[in-house]
Amino acid sequence: LIARLEYTFKAFKGAVSSTSFYEIGTGLEEERDFVYVEVAPGQGVYQWIDYNDNGIQEQDEFEIARFPDQARFIRVAVRTNEFVRTYMNQFNQMLNLNPARTWSAKKGVRGFLSKFSNQATFRVNRKTLQEDGLRRLNPFYTSVESDVLVTLNSSLRNTMFFNRNSRTFAIEWTYQDLANQNLLTNGIESRTDKFNRTDVRINISPQFQINLVGSTGNKGTASEFFSNRNFNIEYLRGNPKITYQPSPAFELAVGYDYTLNENTIDEGGGETSTNQKITGEVRWNSLGKGSLNVRANLVQIDFEGEANSALAFEMLEGLMPGTNGTWEVVFQRSIGENLQLNINYNGRVSQGSNVIHTGGMQVRAYF
């Protein structure tokens, strides 16, 4: 049984627009489990890291691959013979504010406010085994007891712009709060990701642009069965970048990325990492002919903690403590009117390890 309500409106010549979606329902659902299946290198999503060195692939040893050559596994849902009655509640809300649609020609306070715009999105999708009537209807109820929870996914994102369409100066502020909980056969697994980010764009000339990006937040995972996957990382990040674009066909960018991570989980914790990255990127694009993108990173990581762990994999972004280097080349070329050639090459090297090269080529035909 499903009931659904949708509502969309615009006001003040589109300065305010909103879309709402609300759905409740009941039904039967299979209990879920997952297995990881090995596929050809580069065709998967996950990589296996033998954290306990026992040579056995265990569920808590699979991570989302950071590099193409490590993506050797996919996650497949396994059917079970157990069905449970679930109660579903889904709510989506989008709200856009753009005063410039009515006040762009105004002066004074209204003219100043017309330089601002805002986009807000809230989503929640909840499935439980049992709830009372009022909680079952309330889309904002997220404090669900673990013994009745099946899945809970929530997302809140708000972005405010100032001078968004300006060619000289603009500011963008984003707040995001993501959370999901899933009931598996071995217990509840949850993930959270919350941050505040500010992006300042300054065009000092038609050819030069400066971006100043700063963010702070925390991300973590919690598992009832796999205690080694429990962590909460608080981080602080700064990322200035300067871009030189003398023509629409050519662009050169140089950036620096500084990230400070700390595991602040109540039990244990204390691991820290300082990641510093220097980035250089060159882009060339010829309309109707092809494009070339070359990117190289020099990464220095200082890490304190156990390197062979799920926490270290997250903090180190798939690299190793010490000096690392990564690079990427992507070439695209149109051959005639119906063929397109794509060539990509990735490489990386970490301190004390060999260089790893990965390449691929693809030809597409359009009919």
Side-chain angles (χ1 to χ4, degrees):
L1 177 64
I2 296 177
R4 176 182 297 176
L5 173 66
E6 297 182 62
Y7 179 66
T8 301
F9 83 92
K10 292 183 179 180
F12 305 106
K13 300 180 181 180
V16 179
S17 61
S18 172
T19 301
S20 304
F21 175 90
Y22 176 60
E23 184 178 79
I24 57 174
T26 63
L28 293 176
E29 183 170 320
E30 291 178 319
E31 289 187 346
R32 296 187 302 167
D33 198 4
F34 298 98
V35 296
Y36 294 87
V37 179
E38 188 169 4
V39 295
Q43 301 299 311
V45 178
Y46 297 86
Q47 70 178 90
W48 172 49
I49 304 175
D50 193 4
Y51 288 131
N52 54 14
D53 296 321
N54 64 356
I56 300 175
Q57 296 177 3
E58 301 175 52
Q59 280 197 340
D60 61 332
E61 297 180 335
F62 289 88
E63 307 286 355
I64 296 178
R66 298 280 185 170
F67 304 101
D69 63 288
Q70 297 175 335
R72 296 170 177 261
F73 293 85
I74 59 174
R75 190 166 75 168
V76 179
V78 179
R79 293 181 174 272
T80 66
N81 295 324
E82 298 295 329
F83 287 81
V84 292
R85 177 166 295 279
T86 58
Y87 300 89
M88 180 266 292
N89 188 311
Q90 184 176 353
F91 178 74
N92 298 337
Q93 176 65 55
M94 290 180 286
L95 177 64
N96 296 326
L97 304 177
N98 190 7
R101 290 185 176 270
T102 55
W103 293 346
S104 59
K106 302 294 183 178
K107 296 181 180 180
V109 175
R110 289 184 294 180
F112 176 73
L113 292 177
S114 69
K115 297 180 181 294
F116 290 87
S117 61
N118 194 88
Q119 296 178 350
T121 304
F122 174 73
R123 294 186 175 93
V124 62
N125 189 346
R126 183 180 76 239
K127 290 183 180 180
T128 59
L129 301 177
Q130 183 179 3
E131 294 181 18
D132 61 37
L134 293 179
R135 289 182 177 180
R136 190 179 304 168
L137 300 176
N138 182 6
F140 304 102
Y141 175 65
T142 56
S143 302
V144 183
E145 294 80 1
S146 60
D147 57 338
V148 299
L149 176 66
V150 178
T151 61
L152 175 60
N153 299 301
S154 64
S155 170
L156 173 62
R157 182 182 179 91
N158 186 86
T159 303
M160 179 179 292
F161 304 91
F162 176 76
N163 264 359
R164 184 178 185 181
N165 298 320
S166 173
R167 295 184 178 181
T168 58
F169 176 77
I171 300 177
E172 176 182 325
W173 169 74
T174 300
Y175 171 79
Q176 180 172 289
D177 187 354
L178 303 177
N180 66 76
Q181 294 178 287
N182 292 284
L183 176 63
L184 305 178
T185 56
N186 50 23
I188 291 179
E189 182 179 87
S190 63
R191 293 177 178 271
T192 58
D193 187 1
K194 181 188 299 184
F195 66 80
N196 282 278
R197 182 179 67 217
T198 303
D199 186 346
V200 179
R201 172 174 56 85
I202 305 172
N203 289 69
I204 56 179
S205 73
Q207 294 81 28
F208 286 94
Q209 176 179 303
I210 295 177
N211 287 84
L212 304 174
V213 182
S215 59
T216 180
N218 65 280
K219 52 186 174 181
T221 67
S223 174
E224 287 187 337
F225 188 76
F226 302 114
S227 59
N228 62 316
R229 301 191 66 84
N230 295 338
F231 58 80
N232 183 70
I233 301 174
E234 293 189 359
Y235 62 89
L236 178 67
R237 184 176 184 181
N239 177 213
K241 184 176 72 171
I242 183 169
T243 303
Y244 171 63
Q245 188 174 7
S247 68
F250 180 79
E251 180 180 303
L252 173 65
V254 178
Y256 172 73
D257 193 318
Y258 176 87
T259 306
L260 178 63
N261 299 305
E262 182 180 4
N263 181 22
T264 60
I265 195 170
D266 293 336
E267 298 181 4
E271 297 89 345
T272 60
S273 76
T274 303
N275 303 2
Q276 301 183 74
K277 178 167 63 176
I278 299 175
T279 301
E281 186 172 6
V282 177
R283 295 180 181 179
W284 170 83
N285 181 57
S286 179
L287 184 63
K289 294 183 179 180
S291 63
L292 176 67
N293 188 1
V294 181
R295 181 184 178 93
N297 304 306
L298 178 63
V299 187
Q300 176 65 39
I301 301 177
D302 298 320
F303 176 73
E304 295 183 6
E306 173 58 46
N308 190 30
S309 65
L311 170 66
F313 182 84
E314 184 69 31
M315 281 189 170
L316 302 178
E317 300 178 358
L319 298 173
M320 299 295 293
T323 304
N324 302 263
T326 64
W327 53 92
E328 178 184 26
V329 179
V330 179
F331 176 72
Q332 183 183 90
R333 178 74 177 181
S334 298
I335 306 174
E337 296 182 356
N338 302 318
L339 293 177
Q340 185 183 81
L341 173 67
N342 297 296
I343 300 175
N344 64 82
Y345 161 67
N346 296 271
R348 72 179 187 278
V349 62
S350 298
Q351 188 170 313
S353 63
N354 297 325
V355 180
I356 297 176
H357 304 276
T358 307
M361 182 175 68
Q362 182 184 71
V363 177
R364 293 180 178 179
Y366 297 94
F367 300 97

